[in-house]
PDB file of all heavy atoms in Angstrom:
ATOM      1  N   ALA B 364       5.816 136.629 -16.716  1.00  0.00           N
ATOM      2  CA  ALA B 364       6.581 136.463 -15.469  1.00  0.00           C
ATOM      3  C   ALA B 364       8.008 136.974 -15.607  1.00  0.00           C
ATOM      4  O   ALA B 364       8.951 136.371 -15.079  1.00  0.00           O
ATOM      5  CB  ALA B 364       6.574 135.007 -15.021  1.00  0.00           C
ATOM      6  N   ALA B 365       8.187 138.105 -16.273  1.00  0.00           N
ATOM      7  CA  ALA B 365       9.534 138.587 -16.585  1.00  0.00           C
ATOM      8  C   ALA B 365      10.373 138.944 -15.358  1.00  0.00           C
ATOM      9  O   ALA B 365      11.562 138.602 -15.323  1.00  0.00           O
ATOM     10  CB  ALA B 365       9.455 139.766 -17.546  1.00  0.00           C
ATOM     11  N   PRO B 366       9.858 139.645 -14.356  1.00  0.00           N
ATOM     12  CA  PRO B 366      10.737 140.022 -13.239  1.00  0.00           C
ATOM     13  C   PRO B 366      11.444 138.853 -12.560  1.00  0.00           C
ATOM     14  O   PRO B 366      12.676 138.872 -12.444  1.00  0.00           O
ATOM     15  CB  PRO B 366       9.794 140.777 -12.293  1.00  0.00           C
ATOM     16  CG  PRO B 366       8.763 141.370 -13.202  1.00  0.00           C
ATOM     17  CD  PRO B 366       8.547 140.320 -14.250  1.00  0.00           C
ATOM     18  N   PRO B 367      10.736 137.803 -12.106  1.00  0.00           N
ATOM     19  CA  PRO B 367      11.483 136.692 -11.495  1.00  0.00           C
ATOM     20  C   PRO B 367      12.381 135.959 -12.476  1.00  0.00           C
ATOM     21  O   PRO B 367      13.465 135.495 -12.115  1.00  0.00           O
ATOM     22  CB  PRO B 367      10.383 135.773 -10.945  1.00  0.00           C
ATOM     23  CG  PRO B 367       9.141 136.148 -11.675  1.00  0.00           C
ATOM     24  CD  PRO B 367       9.276 137.599 -11.988  1.00  0.00           C
ATOM     25  N   ARG B 368      11.986 135.853 -13.733  1.00  0.00           N
ATOM     26  CA  ARG B 368      12.802 135.133 -14.718  1.00  0.00           C
ATOM     27  C   ARG B 368      14.088 135.893 -15.018  1.00  0.00           C
ATOM     28  O   ARG B 368      15.155 135.281 -15.190  1.00  0.00           O
ATOM     29  CB  ARG B 368      12.002 134.914 -16.001  1.00  0.00           C
ATOM     30  CG  ARG B 368      10.810 133.966 -15.826  1.00  0.00           C
ATOM     31  CD  ARG B 368       9.929 133.967 -17.056  1.00  0.00           C
ATOM     32  NE  ARG B 368      10.647 133.485 -18.216  1.00  0.00           N
ATOM     33  CZ  ARG B 368      10.377 133.869 -19.464  1.00  0.00           C
ATOM     34  NH1 ARG B 368       9.448 134.791 -19.700  1.00  0.00           N
ATOM     35  NH2 ARG B 368      11.065 133.374 -20.466  1.00  0.00           N
ATOM     36  N   ILE B 369      13.998 137.218 -15.102  1.00  0.00           N
ATOM     37  CA  ILE B 369      15.203 138.015 -15.358  1.00  0.00           C
ATOM     38  C   ILE B 369      16.174 137.908 -14.190  1.00  0.00           C
ATOM     39  O   ILE B 369      17.378 137.684 -14.364  1.00  0.00           O
ATOM     40  CB  ILE B 369      14.818 139.484 -15.639  1.00  0.00           C
ATOM     41  CG1 ILE B 369      14.125 139.584 -17.005  1.00  0.00           C
ATOM     42  CG2 ILE B 369      16.045 140.378 -15.594  1.00  0.00           C
ATOM     43  CD1 ILE B 369      13.501 140.947 -17.270  1.00  0.00           C
ATOM     44  N   VAL B 370      15.651 138.074 -12.983  1.00  0.00           N
ATOM     45  CA  VAL B 370      16.517 138.017 -11.799  1.00  0.00           C
ATOM     46  C   VAL B 370      17.191 136.654 -11.692  1.00  0.00           C
ATOM     47  O   VAL B 370      18.411 136.554 -11.489  1.00  0.00           O
ATOM     48  CB  VAL B 370      15.706 138.337 -10.531  1.00  0.00           C
ATOM     49  CG1 VAL B 370      16.541 138.053  -9.283  1.00  0.00           C
ATOM     50  CG2 VAL B 370      15.246 139.781 -10.544  1.00  0.00           C
ATOM     51  N   ARG B 371      16.431 135.600 -11.850  1.00  0.00           N
ATOM     52  CA  ARG B 371      17.014 134.256 -11.721  1.00  0.00           C
ATOM     53  C   ARG B 371      17.958 133.950 -12.876  1.00  0.00           C
ATOM     54  O   ARG B 371      18.920 133.198 -12.719  1.00  0.00           O
ATOM     55  CB  ARG B 371      15.911 133.205 -11.632  1.00  0.00           C
ATOM     56  CG  ARG B 371      15.029 133.380 -10.394  1.00  0.00           C
ATOM     57  CD  ARG B 371      14.032 132.243 -10.220  1.00  0.00           C
ATOM     58  NE  ARG B 371      14.719 131.021  -9.798  1.00  0.00           N
ATOM     59  CZ  ARG B 371      14.861 129.956 -10.551  1.00  0.00           C
ATOM     60  NH1 ARG B 371      14.390 129.934 -11.798  1.00  0.00           N
ATOM     61  NH2 ARG B 371      15.501 128.887 -10.092  1.00  0.00           N
ATOM     62  N   GLY B 372      17.689 134.514 -14.056  1.00  0.00           N
ATOM     63  CA  GLY B 372      18.606 134.325 -15.175  1.00  0.00           C
ATOM     64  C   GLY B 372      19.974 134.919 -14.921  1.00  0.00           C
ATOM     65  O   GLY B 372      20.984 134.422 -15.430  1.00  0.00           O
ATOM     66  N   HIS B 373      20.013 135.977 -14.118  1.00  0.00           N
ATOM     67  CA  HIS B 373      21.276 136.621 -13.770  1.00  0.00           C
ATOM     68  C   HIS B 373      21.915 136.053 -12.500  1.00  0.00           C
ATOM     69  O   HIS B 373      23.036 136.458 -12.158  1.00  0.00           O
ATOM     70  CB  HIS B 373      21.050 138.129 -13.559  1.00  0.00           C
ATOM     71  CG  HIS B 373      20.909 138.915 -14.820  1.00  0.00           C
ATOM     72  ND1 HIS B 373      21.962 139.135 -15.691  1.00  0.00           N
ATOM     73  CD2 HIS B 373      19.840 139.553 -15.367  1.00  0.00           C
ATOM     74  CE1 HIS B 373      21.547 139.878 -16.708  1.00  0.00           C
ATOM     75  NE2 HIS B 373      20.265 140.143 -16.533  1.00  0.00           N
ATOM     76  N   THR B 374      21.219 135.155 -11.804  1.00  0.00           N
ATOM     77  CA  THR B 374      21.730 134.748 -10.489  1.00  0.00           C
ATOM     78  C   THR B 374      21.699 133.260 -10.193  1.00  0.00           C
ATOM     79  O   THR B 374      22.622 132.736  -9.576  1.00  0.00           O
ATOM     80  CB  THR B 374      20.938 135.456  -9.368  1.00  0.00           C
ATOM     81  OG1 THR B 374      19.531 135.136  -9.510  1.00  0.00           O
ATOM     82  CG2 THR B 374      21.129 136.960  -9.422  1.00  0.00           C
ATOM     83  N   GLU B 375      20.650 132.527 -10.629  1.00  0.00           N
ATOM     84  CA  GLU B 375      20.418 131.198 -10.069  1.00  0.00           C
ATOM     85  C   GLU B 375      20.439 130.034 -11.043  1.00  0.00           C
ATOM     86  O   GLU B 375      20.778 128.916 -10.646  1.00  0.00           O
ATOM     87  CB  GLU B 375      19.061 131.173  -9.334  1.00  0.00           C
ATOM     88  CG  GLU B 375      18.974 132.097  -8.144  1.00  0.00           C
ATOM     89  CD  GLU B 375      17.627 131.970  -7.439  1.00  0.00           C
ATOM     90  OE1 GLU B 375      17.017 130.882  -7.518  1.00  0.00           O
ATOM     91  OE2 GLU B 375      17.183 132.961  -6.831  1.00  0.00           O
ATOM     92  N   ILE B 376      20.028 130.237 -12.276  1.00  0.00           N
ATOM     93  CA  ILE B 376      19.771 129.073 -13.132  1.00  0.00           C
ATOM     94  C   ILE B 376      21.043 128.435 -13.676  1.00  0.00           C
ATOM     95  O   ILE B 376      20.983 127.356 -14.280  1.00  0.00           O
ATOM     96  CB  ILE B 376      18.824 129.442 -14.295  1.00  0.00           C
ATOM     97  CG1 ILE B 376      19.454 130.499 -15.209  1.00  0.00           C
ATOM     98  CG2 ILE B 376      17.487 129.917 -13.762  1.00  0.00           C
ATOM     99  CD1 ILE B 376      18.636 130.774 -16.463  1.00  0.00           C
ATOM    100  N   THR B 377      22.173 129.075 -13.496  1.00  0.00           N
ATOM    101  CA  THR B 377      23.458 128.493 -13.883  1.00  0.00           C
ATOM    102  C   THR B 377      24.501 128.868 -12.843  1.00  0.00           C
ATOM    103  O   THR B 377      24.347 129.878 -12.138  1.00  0.00           O
ATOM    104  CB  THR B 377      23.903 128.984 -15.277  1.00  0.00           C
ATOM    105  OG1 THR B 377      25.256 128.559 -15.520  1.00  0.00           O
ATOM    106  CG2 THR B 377      23.845 130.492 -15.370  1.00  0.00           C
TER     107      THR B 377
END
Side-chain angles (χ1 to χ4, degrees):
R368 293 171 63 209
I369 290 170
V370 171
R371 297 187 72 249
H373 283 290
T374 58
E375 297 182 28
I376 63 173
T377 171

